[in-house]
Amino acid sequence: MPLGTLYLVATPIGNLEDITLRALRILRDVPLIACEDTRQTRKLLNHHSLRTRTVPFHRFNEARTVPALLQKLRSGQDVALVTDGGTPSVSDPGVSLARAAREAGIRVVPVPGPSAPLAALVASGLPAERFSFFGFLPHRSGERRRLLESLRGRQETLIFFDSPRRVGSSLKEMTEIFGDRPASIGREMTKIHEEFLAGSLGDLAERLRQSAVRGEVTVVVGGAPSPRPRHAPVEVLRGEVSREMKKEGSSRRDAIRAVALRLGVPRREVYRAFREGACQDDESE
């Protein structure tokens, strides 16, 4: 008997129209949908006139529900997994079931769609070439500060989820630890009261200190600035390259790269110093 397929289906983070045609087809055709909150998922299904059976799957019942769902998948039934909003496993239930299915040789298929971290990132105007997502910030200030301290030197854009009750305190701590970097806050994204706030961390902390925040919050913070390159006297660079080239098997290119890395100097600056030295040697001969 062929095994079933586990579909990880992304669902709207607010606006019920933000769902793909493929996701709707799968949610219609599978015999069972495992969902974080059956009441929340039923709103989505009713909106799109779907009558598929649902079962709860959340962190409080994972231990007993994973084996039951695996049994259905082994018997040839397809199962769709959804959360209250967004992509399963991204700060939501799903990892344990996906891992267990993979280990059992069951096909796991992602059905891409809405994602709160990506929505907040692209709307922030901050660099999106490199970014890291860290899920929900710790509830306790001490744990939160330790996490932020560990991220102080990261140069990529940073993304966090936070509680509307704590986000003002979190922004204040970020300002103290990161410095006054550019940042953005996405609140109630894709919903009626959607709001984006942009500014420096200090500015946002002050603005939120004076007004209450409601709804789910995603915080996007600019990365640490790149360290300014060091410079060294031309004579020093020439000497270092010459010494490096005297090492057995060290080519000119390798020597320049090694000196630049060791001294923290741009490679082109080391190359220019070497070339100037070579030209001077030619003129003196």
Side-chain angles (χ1 to χ4, degrees):
M1 177 182 295
L3 299 173
T5 298
L6 173 63
Y7 294 97
L8 306 180
V9 182
T11 53
I13 59 177
N15 192 316
L16 296 180
E17 295 178 356
D18 290 338
I19 189 164
T20 67
L21 295 175
R22 181 185 178 208
L24 288 175
R25 174 178 58 79
I26 289 170
L27 295 179
R28 181 193 65 223
D29 292 347
V30 295
L32 185 66
I33 301 173
C35 42
E36 188 176 2
D37 186 330
T38 55
R39 296 165 300 180
Q40 189 70 21
T41 300
R42 183 51 59 189
K43 295 177 185 177
L44 173 67
L45 298 181
N46 288 341
H47 183 79
H48 293 285
S49 301
L50 302 178
R51 299 290 178 261
T52 311
R53 187 165 72 90
T54 62
V55 295
F57 178 79
H58 45 72
R59 63 189 181 95
F60 300 108
N61 73 353
E62 274 183 298
R64 68 175 183 272
T65 306
V66 167
L69 293 174
L70 284 180
Q71 184 58 41
K72 292 185 180 299
L73 289 161
R74 288 193 181 100
S75 71
Q77 289 189 45
D78 293 336
V79 174
L81 174 66
V82 302
T83 66
D84 288 350
T87 303
S89 299
V90 182
S91 284
D92 277 318
V95 174
S96 60
L97 180 58
R99 183 189 303 118
R102 284 286 186 198
E103 292 173 352
I106 293 167
R107 184 173 175 232
V108 179
V109 176
V111 183
S115 169
L118 292 180
L121 173 64
V122 298
S124 71
L126 293 169
E129 292 80 9
R130 292 191 306 139
F131 61 90
S132 293
F133 171 60
F134 297 94
F136 283 94
L137 284 165
H139 295 186
R140 297 180 179 176
S141 178
E143 295 177 10
R144 195 162 58 242
R145 294 185 73 95
R146 282 192 291 274
L147 171 64
L148 297 175
E149 286 283 0
S150 72
L151 304 176
R152 184 204 298 263
R154 299 282 286 264
Q155 294 181 13
E156 74 273 27
T157 300
L158 311 176
I159 308 173
F160 309 91
F161 286 159
D162 204 5
S163 161
R165 299 187 304 275
R166 291 187 301 270
V167 66
S169 299
S170 299
L171 290 169
K172 183 174 182 295
E173 292 166 353
M174 288 180 186
T175 306
E176 295 169 358
I177 295 169
F178 293 159
D180 209 13
R181 298 185 195 173
S184 174
I185 294 173
R187 184 185 74 83
E188 294 287 85
M189 289 183 292
T190 78
K191 301 177 183 177
I192 294 175
H193 301 293
E194 176 182 79
E195 182 180 27
F196 291 97
L197 301 175
S200 69
L201 283 170
D203 172 53
L204 292 175
E206 181 62 22
R207 288 162 70 181
L208 294 188
R209 186 182 68 82
Q210 299 176 358
S211 61
V213 178
R214 295 181 181 178
E216 298 177 352
V217 177
T218 305
V219 181
V220 185
V221 183
S226 301
R228 299 184 64 179
R230 297 169 55 189
H231 297 279
V234 172
E235 294 78 8
V236 171
L237 296 178
R238 289 177 195 159
E240 290 296 321
V241 172
S242 297
R243 277 189 287 274
E244 195 70 33
M245 289 179 64
K246 289 177 182 178
K247 294 182 179 179
E248 185 176 355
S250 181
S251 66
R252 183 186 69 181
R253 176 181 295 180
D254 290 341
I256 291 173
R257 182 187 297 113
V259 171
L261 184 63
R262 186 170 67 249
L263 299 183
V265 176
R267 193 183 304 179
R268 63 180 178 276
E269 185 173 331
V270 180
Y271 175 76
R272 188 161 51 245
F274 173 80
R275 290 291 299 166
E276 289 178 4
C279 291
Q280 290 179 7
D281 292 341
D282 290 342
E283 292 174 359
S284 63
E285 289 179 354

